Amino acid sequence: MNIFVCEIEISPLEFRMRLIINHLLSFYLTALDLIRHGGVSYLFKPLLKYGFRPELGIDNFPTTNELFQDALLLQEKMERVRLMNSIRVFALDLSPGCMFEENKRNTCGDIGKCQVMGNESDLSSTLFGIDNAAEINTNSNKNCDEKKTKVDMLKNPPSNTQYKGGEIWSRIYDEIVKVDFPLLRILVSGIQSNIAIHASERYRKIGEDSYDYSLSNFINKFVIFEDRGINLLITFHYIVRSICILGPVFEEFVETLDNSPENTLLRAEIKEVFNKEMYNSCMPEYQKNIIPYHSLPMAEKFFDTFISALGCVECEKCVLHGTIKGKTLDLAIKALGGSKTIKLDPIYFVTYLNGLYIFSTSITMIDVFSSRVRTFLVFSLFITFAFLFYLKYKVSSYLDNGRIKHKKND
């Protein structure tokens, strides 16, 4: 018996219309869910001046508006840097040893949302994170424990993996208690907020390199937890403050690279990114936000633990982005604590730069979601008025017809 499968092609316009209808339905379902749970006020926050932006009113910290300005500026600078092959493509160990279960390792070659996608792009003369090309794992069938995995960040942006990591996060917070460094709880919460926002922005894959967002996930995983937004801003502030300090270290590192056209351009871009005169967070009045030097050993121990905990996660993308964020914060804390031993290696170089982009975009996406909700609310208001006008017209027509019939009967 022959079975014929007919594939129906959808025009780009029809595809867009379906997306719009899907977003409208999702908006109304989200509204109903919030009404049912008494949280409908969150849906109207975008009508306020700053929308979903958290209100950060802490002494010696930048204002919310200043931090969003820093995020927009940093995102703009990093848009160019992140596309360079030497920053975009690198090799990373996606199978760190699991500290909680001795023999548990990261699963290699999983299909679906958790798998790191391969890279077919041309490589620049510099591939960071390896000593020689033989260390790269280019075959997804090979054991991830044996070689580092080549990663292309354009193919693997932070997105929704649907991985349930509650147990791992609980273990990580337990480790924070052990090191007795309260700021770490805020920073880890900032990482979780970052994850929630990016997962909401790239919630469902709809094309090879395109994603659809989820307003419901954004509200339920981020907005309704007001402390998450504040912790994200605090975390971002510490990261930008580290930019004010790490400029000479990064400029020294890029000077060791060869003089290929891309590396020449990279040197110029690095100077732009680390120009501390551009950022509000680098202003003198905010320089009090430093890390006590005596806390550095505790912080270093914690981030080693954090990376080791990722080895218990059976999700390659989670390990990839967890490593980027963990190493970004590790380097930021060292800089703010006045560490005398900061020396960049290739992994810290690429993870920190990618981390700058990932953290800055999580801030700017808050405004993007605010704009989307405003659009839905205005559209809903328009539909309501249109319906009321139509209803009034129909009622008037019905009454007029009734009068005409009444006169004829008379």
Side-chain angles (χ1 to χ4, degrees), residues 166-182:
E167 181 182 353
I168 299 298
W169 285 115
S170 296
R171 296 283 190 93
I172 289 173
Y173 278 108
D174 288 342
E175 293 299 316
I176 293 176
V177 175
K178 293 179 183 179
V179 297
D180 190 27
F181 189 12

Side-chain angles (χ1 to χ4, degrees), residues 154-197:
L154 287 188
K155 298 287 185 182
N156 298 280
S159 59
N160 175 36
T161 63
Q162 293 187 334
Y163 182 79
K164 307 298 182 184
E167 181 182 353
I168 299 298
W169 285 115
S170 296
R171 296 283 190 93
I172 289 173
Y173 278 108
D174 288 342
E175 293 299 316
I176 293 176
V177 175
K178 293 179 183 179
V179 297
D180 190 27
F181 189 12
L183 177 62
L184 289 175
R185 180 173 291 275
I186 293 176
L187 300 180
V188 171
S189 174
I191 291 177
Q192 288 185 290
S193 300
N194 178 281
I195 292 171
I197 292 173

Side-chain angles (χ1 to χ4, degrees), residues 75-281:
Q75 178 182 342
E76 179 186 347
K77 300 295 181 185
M78 290 307 303
E79 283 284 3
R80 298 189 295 270
V81 175
R82 76 184 187 96
L83 296 177
M84 296 181 177
N85 274 344
S86 55
I87 307 302
R88 162 190 165 185
V89 183
F90 54 93
L92 190 67
D93 179 10
L94 297 182
S95 301
C98 174
M99 63 172 293
F100 301 130
E101 298 178 42
E102 185 177 353
N103 297 319
K104 188 171 183 179
R105 301 290 286 175
N106 189 48
T107 302
C108 177
D110 283 350
I111 60 174
K113 295 183 177 182
C114 288
Q115 184 184 24
V116 166
M117 303 300 293
N119 166 66
E120 295 83 25
S121 64
D122 294 332
L123 299 180
S124 65
S125 58
T126 303
L127 180 61
F128 289 133
I130 60 169
D131 296 323
N132 56 72
E135 291 186 1
I136 308 176
N137 172 29
T138 56
N139 188 340
S140 61
N141 293 324
K142 291 183 180 179
N143 188 345
C144 281
D145 294 344
E146 295 177 357
K147 295 183 179 181
K148 294 179 180 179
T149 301
K150 183 171 63 174
V151 175
D152 184 342
M153 290 300 293
L154 287 188
K155 298 287 185 182
N156 298 280
S159 59
N160 175 36
T161 63
Q162 293 187 334
Y163 182 79
K164 307 298 182 184
E167 181 182 353
I168 299 298
W169 285 115
S170 296
R171 296 283 190 93
I172 289 173
Y173 278 108
D174 288 342
E175 293 299 316
I176 293 176
V177 175
K178 293 179 183 179
V179 297
D180 190 27
F181 189 12
L183 177 62
L184 289 175
R185 180 173 291 275
I186 293 176
L187 300 180
V188 171
S189 174
I191 291 177
Q192 288 185 290
S193 300
N194 178 281
I195 292 171
I197 292 173
H198 280 290
S200 301
E201 178 64 16
R202 297 183 185 87
Y203 189 77
R204 180 171 63 94
K205 198 166 187 177
I206 56 176
E208 184 176 352
D209 296 313
S210 57
Y211 295 80
D212 194 15
Y213 66 86
S214 170
L215 175 62
S216 175
N217 196 74
F218 177 73
I219 291 178
N220 291 322
K221 299 293 186 180
F222 177 74
V223 174
I224 64 176
F225 302 100
E226 295 188 11
D227 60 323
R228 288 190 177 182
I230 293 172
N231 291 342
L232 176 62
L233 288 182
I234 293 174
T235 302
F236 180 68
H237 168 62
Y238 279 109
I239 290 172
V240 180
R241 282 282 302 123
S242 71
I243 294 176
C244 318
I245 299 170
L246 289 171
V249 179
F250 273 78
E251 289 178 20
E252 180 182 351
F253 183 89
V254 293
E255 288 301 323
T256 65
L257 305 179
D258 61 41
N259 291 319
S260 66
E262 181 171 283
N263 286 337
T264 301
L265 180 59
L266 179 60
R267 290 188 186 97
E269 294 292 350
I270 289 295
K271 288 184 179 180
E272 279 291 308
V273 170
F274 287 89
N275 179 5
K276 61 183 180 181
E277 302 299 325
M278 300 188 302
Y279 303 107
N280 294 308
S281 294

